[in-house]
Amino acid sequence: MRTQPLAELSAAGVAVWLDDLSRARLRSGNLADLVRTASVVGVTTNPSIFQNALSSGEDYDEQVLDLALRGTGVGEAVRALTTYDVRWACDVLRDVYERTDGTDGCVSIEVDPRIARDRRRTVAEARALWWLVDRPNLFIKIPATVEGLPAITETLAAGISVNVTLIFSLERYEAVMEAFLTGLERAAANGHDLRGIASVASFFVSRVDTEIDARLDKLGRPELRGRAALVNARLAYAQYERVFDSARWQELARRGARPQRPLWASTGVKDPAYDDTRYVVELVAPGTVNTMPEATLSAVADHGVVRGDTIAGTYDEAEAILGELRQAGIDYDDVVRRLEEEGLQKFEDAWNSLLDSVAGQLERARVQAEVPS
């Protein structure tokens, strides 16, 4: 793998994270290699990633057998399997965490997506995952639903680092940053050291183009295809700059707080007509994170052209393009509402598939070990 473009991204202020994790990647040393040679300084996971990892190969068989012999229920087994991988990844990245003074070197694990609209259960699971993994360089991923916003605040107030996920709209992103600021203020009031609390806000990119492009095709406006996702993300960065230049933030910063960085998620290109590095090289700005599936990471390393900051100075044009899309008949509010609903449903479906898969593995292990169910 060529690594110069990834190093250039890092030099431009973009933290390169990998959007994937598996025990095979950990055992082979691949993750450690990417950290050492490819500027990777973080890892994100989600239910789909774990479903793919646990349903292929034999890397989990020994632990599954142990869980079966102990009579472990499927829910507890899933958490034992996934937190084992996340804890291991946190250890691989611990040197990065120490070297960057806690800015990078972090690994994310998501709360059960089926409870994304239940504040109390979300906070309870966030605490449980924090205790289970027991590493300072952990992020708990919480979806940015309306109901999830107070859960984000409460989790941060408890001194737990949070990756806010499934953000699609500019309005919701404003609410996420408000939840973050309030959470840190409460954390300080609760006696927590703000230097030990980190957060990122995962703003989803490619799915916006996928949804809006399909609507533009129906409206007979193909000339506007492929423009929505980038302008949406760039305007989100403008919001980030404004909020983290405020007097309210400066007060928190004086107390040791670090900003909640925008994280560009869903950066794999889904339309083959588009350049496969566009959601990386067109969203370069200081203080951002870009989490990439391995195919995108490899594409950027192979032929990505990093041109420095590609967000600064784009805000007026981005506003104009968003206005054109609205005039063409794109209902922005409906788009982002549908994307949030679909995103949650996809994660729920993956979680249910994961539960079914592990249940099957446990039962097979019990039969092979001749242990009664």
Side-chain angles (χ1 to χ4, degrees), residues 340-356:
E340 179 180 301
E341 292 172 354
E342 288 180 350
L344 280 174
Q345 190 59 55
K346 287 177 181 177
F347 280 171
E348 284 187 32
D349 291 345
W351 191 261
N352 287 327
S353 294
L354 177 59
L355 291 171
D356 291 343

Side-chain angles (χ1 to χ4, degrees), residues 174-189:
E174 286 277 4
V176 165
M177 289 187 286
E178 172 64 28
F180 168 73
L181 294 174
T182 303
L184 286 193
E185 289 163 348
R186 293 183 184 175

Side-chain angles (χ1 to χ4, degrees), residues 2-300:
R2 292 176 63 243
T3 58
Q4 184 59 32
L6 298 171
E8 291 171 356
L9 274 178
S10 181
V14 179
V16 176
W17 289 14
L18 177 68
D19 192 27
D20 189 59
L21 186 64
S22 67
R23 197 158 299 178
R25 189 183 293 281
L26 290 161
R27 279 182 172 164
S28 67
N30 173 263
L31 178 59
D33 287 343
L34 291 174
V35 171
R36 186 174 61 255
T37 65
S39 300
V40 170
V41 293
V43 171
T44 49
T45 68
N46 60 46
S48 298
I49 287 171
F50 282 129
Q51 162 60 11
N52 291 336
L54 270 76
S55 62
S56 59
E58 301 176 348
D59 294 285
Y60 298 91
D61 287 358
E62 182 179 6
Q63 190 180 6
V64 168
L65 176 58
D66 287 346
L67 292 165
L69 289 169
R70 292 172 49 217
T72 309
V74 63
E76 184 182 347
V78 166
R79 280 313 189 198
L81 292 161
T82 56
T83 55
Y84 186 99
D85 283 4
V86 168
R87 187 182 305 108
W88 189 345
C90 283
D91 291 342
V92 171
L93 284 153
R94 185 63 176 266
D95 285 346
V96 175
Y97 179 77
E98 300 292 347
R99 172 167 47 83
T100 62
D101 195 26
T103 298
D104 283 305
C106 299
V107 184
S108 299
I109 187 170
E110 189 157 349
V111 298
D112 183 339
R114 299 172 301 176
I115 60 173
R117 301 191 186 280
D118 187 320
R119 175 187 60 82
R120 294 180 64 191
R121 292 179 67 192
T122 294
V123 174
E125 180 157 0
R127 290 179 185 273
L129 290 171
W130 187 253
W131 295 330
L132 278 168
V133 176
D134 193 26
R135 296 293 186 272
N137 52 331
L138 176 70
F139 276 117
I140 305 299
K141 287 179 77 173
I142 300 176
T145 60
V146 170
E147 299 85 352
L149 294 171
I152 291 161
T153 294
E154 287 187 39
T155 302
L156 288 163
I160 297 172
S161 298
V162 175
N163 176 343
V164 184
T165 189
L166 284 178
I167 308 171
F168 295 97
S169 79
L170 298 171
E171 180 182 8
R172 186 61 55 80
Y173 182 40
E174 286 277 4
V176 165
M177 289 187 286
E178 172 64 28
F180 168 73
L181 294 174
T182 303
L184 286 193
E185 289 163 348
R186 293 183 184 175
N190 291 337
H192 293 289
D193 184 350
L194 299 186
R195 293 172 298 181
I197 306 172
S199 184
V200 292
S202 295
F203 202 89
F204 279 50
V205 185
S206 68
R207 296 187 196 183
V208 174
D209 270 345
T210 301
E211 178 66 25
I212 290 184
D213 283 358
R215 297 186 184 208
L216 288 169
D217 289 341
K218 292 179 180 178
L219 292 166
R221 298 296 302 273
E223 75 279 8
L224 293 175
R225 295 178 91 255
R227 305 175 78 181
L230 291 176
V231 302
N232 198 43
R234 286 168 176 167
L235 290 173
Y237 190 77
Q239 292 176 307
Y240 160 77
E241 288 186 311
R242 185 180 68 256
V243 168
F244 289 96
D245 191 42
S246 67
R248 183 182 180 189
W249 166 249
Q250 295 304 324
E251 175 58 30
L252 285 166
R254 280 192 290 270
R255 303 178 73 169
R258 65 190 75 215
Q260 181 188 57
R261 291 182 293 172
L263 181 152
W264 310 129
S266 182
T267 55
V269 172
K270 296 173 175 59
D271 188 330
Y274 301 150
D275 181 83
D276 55 1
T277 68
R278 73 193 313 258
Y279 299 126
V280 179
V281 299
E282 298 297 338
L283 292 174
V284 175
T288 59
V289 180
N290 197 305
T291 187
M292 310 174 212
E294 187 169 22
T296 302
L297 184 79
S298 297
V300 173

